[in-house]
Amino acid sequence: MEKRISSLLSLSLFLLLLISALTYCSAKSVSDSDILGLQSIERTTSQAERLIRQLNLIPKDAEPVDEQSLTADVSKIVEKRFTFPNLIDTNGVSVGDLGHHAGYYKLEHSHAARMFYFFFESRGNKSDDPVVIWLTGGPGCSSELALFYENGPFKIADNMSLVMNEYGWDKASNLIYVDQPTGTGFSYTSDKRDLRHDETGVSDDLYDFLQAFFQKHPQFVNNDFFITGESYAGHYIPAFAARVHQGNKAKEGIHINLKGFAIGNGLTDPAIQYKAYTDYALDMGLIDESQQKSINKILPTCELAIKLCGTDGTLACLASYLVCNTIFSRIKLIAGNINHYDIRIQCKGQLCYDFSNMDKFLNQRKVRDALGVGDIEFVSCSPTVYQGMLMDWMRNLEVGIPTLLEDGIQLLVYAGEYDLICNWLGNSRWVEAMEWSGHQEYVASPKVPFVVDGAEAGVLKSYGPLSFLKVHNAGHMVPMDQPKAALEMLNRWTGGKLAEADDQTEGSAEVM
């Protein structure tokens, strides 16, 4: 009885703090469209979608698919080798030699879910190059965003033709893109019970997919394996890496040769990263000191909310999401029409980037026929998936990383310097605060220039398996803004040479 009363008192205190924070923001005359959660959960998620998920893509939920319309093939993976229509400039390489695959995996622990993926064999040495999987964030955004606009083999021209990407990551790896969680991209289900709500469900699905993938492609089992991605994948990636490592230790199935994981401009430790928002905004001239002090009054409530959320994804996590995002919204209101993914530029109209060519391209019948997706609705960014993961948002995914580091699994955290929403400052702080056996040595390690073609492309700090790279002249999407530096980063990191001194670099780098 006493325990129940104590729990009710804690909940009451939290609700009072929540009301206090929202009332405070309202008193500052912030409009309903600029503060998350002032009217209703529905409006909250709508605003959150505009801030976090929206990349000039009008999301549409996939229509339920009749189970009778699914392929009769009962195997776990149905895959086809394909070539995109209108692909030009293949440098004389035949379609067969390109080694491009698309497929569906029937999720083992689901009711009716199918996970869509692309697999591009390396343009380099297929047998020796690592296998790299890429996860886009959102939550609920398709990895085709990265495929066509960041680090994939192609770029889409305005006439809907494809040209080979000079800096595609398939030049240095065997590259996998996955549409996940279920309901994202071309992935789908006919049963709403298959929607995921936490990292356990997400990472289990990805682990099951990898097992089936390597069964399908046994020639790549012994290649080094790396997990990469950006944004909300700062949640997915650590959980996925931990799941793979757990499976290897328990000898659950095929041993996956996990060597490392990389997080680009990610959301990993919300308590530290949300606290860094106003410091970054002040440093970049988006707000002044008086505005910072005003916004920082929300921090104690935000910190308490995150503490109550813990790591278990309860209703307190939803409340902390509402409270803490008022910090970001206040900065956006003051800063005006900036692109929160790249503060050097403004959002174009209502939206921040124009990625509409991707939807146009993927909606062409000849493209759909080549991929074998039939009439499945392509969901570039799914609000249903997004809403399903709301209670996962404020969880701290840093907690599982030290164990991976202790076992020699490499971690690279990189961040473009002009991104506000998952800024380099917050990312560098959680990396530096992380407790592991090499913590003191990492903190004491020097910052050195990351040089590409004789020019400083970033600032690197490393010790042992842990590295942090601040990338110059880039926003949220580093491979899009700095494709050459991003490919060089991948090459050196997967080759174990990221921290090696360059002959052209001497002395220390700028202060991070």
Side-chain angles (χ1 to χ4, degrees):
M1 184 67 176
E2 289 181 0
K3 186 176 180 180
R4 183 180 179 187
I5 291 173
S6 176
S7 298
L8 289 172
L9 286 173
S10 297
L11 180 58
S12 298
L13 174 60
F14 173 72
L15 291 174
L16 284 172
L17 289 169
L18 173 59
I19 293 169
S20 175
L22 297 180
T23 302
Y24 171 81
C25 294
S26 180
K28 290 293 183 181
S29 299
V30 180
S31 68
D32 288 350
S33 62
D34 292 307
I35 288 294
L36 303 177
L38 290 182
Q39 295 296 323
S40 65
I41 296 297
E42 182 177 355
R43 181 169 293 179
T44 296
T45 55
S46 176
Q47 171 68 0
E49 288 157 21
R50 287 196 295 274
L51 291 176
I52 311 296
R53 175 189 47 74
Q54 193 176 71
L55 294 172
N56 202 25
L57 298 166
I58 301 173
K60 290 180 275 187
D61 284 325
E63 292 295 322
V65 179
D66 186 348
E67 189 70 22
Q68 294 179 351
S69 70
L70 302 180
T71 175
D73 194 327
V74 295
S75 63
K76 290 182 179 179
I77 276 192
V78 178
E79 182 185 279
K80 63 180 294 187
R81 187 181 287 257
F82 78 98
T83 182
F84 275 121
N86 301 333
L87 174 61
I88 60 176
D89 187 26
T90 61
N91 295 320
V93 180
S94 70
V95 171
D97 289 338
L98 280 175
H100 293 175
H101 312 260
Y104 274 106
Y105 166 61
K106 181 180 179 181
L107 284 174
E108 185 173 350
H109 297 98
S110 74
H111 298 277
R114 303 296 192 274
M115 178 183 285
F116 180 79
Y117 68 96
F118 285 99
F119 173 48
F120 302 103
E121 296 177 23
S122 174
R123 283 185 262 173
N125 189 329
K126 299 178 184 181
S127 60
D128 293 333
D129 283 347
V131 176
V132 172
I133 191 169
W134 174 273
L135 308 175
T136 292
C141 285
S142 167
S143 287
E144 278 84 318
L145 280 167
L147 195 166
F148 292 114
Y149 291 96
E150 295 190 78
N151 51 19
F154 325 102
K155 297 290 185 181
I156 305 175
D158 287 338
N159 65 358
M160 295 295 107
S161 65
L162 292 181
V163 295
M164 299 300 290
N165 179 8
E166 183 181 358
Y167 303 111
W169 284 13
D170 64 319
K171 295 191 76 174
S173 68
N174 299 284
L175 190 57
I176 305 170
Y177 294 93
V178 181
D179 281 344
Q180 63 84 43
T182 299
T184 301
F186 283 120
S187 296
Y188 66 93
T189 183
S190 57
D191 193 317
K192 289 185 178 180
R193 290 175 294 176
D194 290 332
L195 291 176
R196 299 309 182 206
H197 303 285
D198 55 41
E199 296 307 320
T200 299
V202 169
S203 59
D204 282 346
D205 285 348
L206 286 167
Y207 180 77
D208 290 343
F209 162 72
L210 278 187
Q211 289 292 316
F213 174 84
F214 283 116
Q215 287 178 12
K216 184 77 174 178
H217 298 278
Q219 68 272 31
F220 294 106
V221 167
N222 294 322
N223 295 49
D224 290 347
F225 178 73
F226 295 87
I227 303 170
T228 64
E230 72 189 9
S231 198
Y232 198 80
H235 269 46
Y236 301 150
I237 294 167
F240 182 25
R243 180 65 184 90
V244 171
H245 195 48
Q246 171 193 324
N248 285 344
K249 283 188 168 183
K251 299 181 180 180
E252 292 183 34
I254 295 172
H255 180 89
I256 297 167
N257 198 17
L258 176 65
K259 295 297 183 181
F261 56 111
I263 302 169
N265 286 85
L267 175 65
T268 303
D269 189 335
I272 292 178
Q273 291 182 252
Y274 272 76
K275 191 174 181 179
Y277 267 136
T278 59
D279 290 339
Y280 178 83
L282 180 66
D283 289 346
M284 302 305 290
L286 301 179
I287 59 176
D288 61 32
E289 290 186 4
S290 64
Q291 291 165 333
Q292 182 190 34
K293 289 179 181 178
S294 175
I295 298 171
N296 278 350
K297 292 178 181 178
I298 305 169
L299 276 175
T301 308
C302 173
E303 290 170 343
L304 174 58
I306 292 175
K307 185 177 180 180
L308 290 174
C309 171
T311 59
D312 297 324
T314 64
L315 282 174
C317 294
L318 178 58
S320 63
Y321 168 91
L322 301 178
V323 172
C324 295
N325 274 298
T326 60
I327 297 170
F328 180 76
S329 296
R330 287 285 307 281
I331 294 171
K332 280 280 292 179
L333 179 67
I334 294 167
N337 190 38
I338 62 162
N339 184 330
H340 45 269
Y341 301 107
D342 188 335
I343 62 173
R344 297 171 295 179
I345 59 178
Q346 291 189 331
C347 287
K348 299 176 182 179
Q350 185 183 357
L351 307 171
C352 287
Y353 288 105
D354 184 3
F355 294 153
S356 57
N357 276 349
M358 182 185 74
D359 278 341
K360 294 175 185 176
F361 180 80
L362 292 173
N363 281 324
Q364 295 179 100
R365 172 49 58 186
K366 57 186 177 181
V367 172
R368 287 175 165 272
D369 289 344
L371 297 179
V373 296
D375 293 322
I376 298 297
E377 180 77 23
F378 176 73
V379 185
S380 50
C381 286
S382 167
T384 299
V385 174
Y386 180 94
Q387 291 165 13
M389 297 293 290
L390 280 180
M391 291 190 190
D392 179 71
W393 191 283
M394 302 307 291
R395 288 188 61 216
N396 175 19
L397 271 295
E398 174 270 339
V399 294
I401 294 176
T403 298
L404 296 168
L405 295 177
E406 303 296 355
D407 287 347
I409 308 299
Q410 300 175 52
L411 168 60
L412 167 63
V413 178
Y414 65 92
E417 62 186 346
Y418 292 110
D419 177 28
L420 167 63
I421 200 163
C422 296
N423 58 75
W424 76 267
L425 185 62
N427 272 290
S428 67
R429 285 180 177 175
W430 77 254
V431 171
E432 189 139 326
M434 183 167 52
E435 293 289 343
W436 63 294
S437 62
H439 173 248
Q440 292 183 351
E441 290 84 355
Y442 174 81
V443 171
S445 65
K447 301 176 181 70
V448 300
F450 178 72
V451 175
V452 178
D453 288 347
E456 185 175 305
V459 181
L460 177 67
K461 185 178 178 69
S462 294
Y463 177 78
L466 178 61
S467 299
F468 179 84
L469 178 62
K470 175 185 176 184
V471 183
H472 294 329
N473 299 313
H476 189 73
M477 305 171 78
V478 169
M480 181 177 75
D481 294 337
Q482 293 297 326
K484 188 171 188 177
L487 178 59
E488 186 65 20
M489 173 189 74
L490 178 76
N491 249 321
R492 295 185 196 176
W493 178 61
T494 57
K497 300 177 181 179
L498 183 66
E500 287 188 6
D502 190 286
D503 291 339
Q504 304 174 67
T505 67
E506 294 195 9
S508 59
E510 66 171 56
V511 176
M512 278 192 182

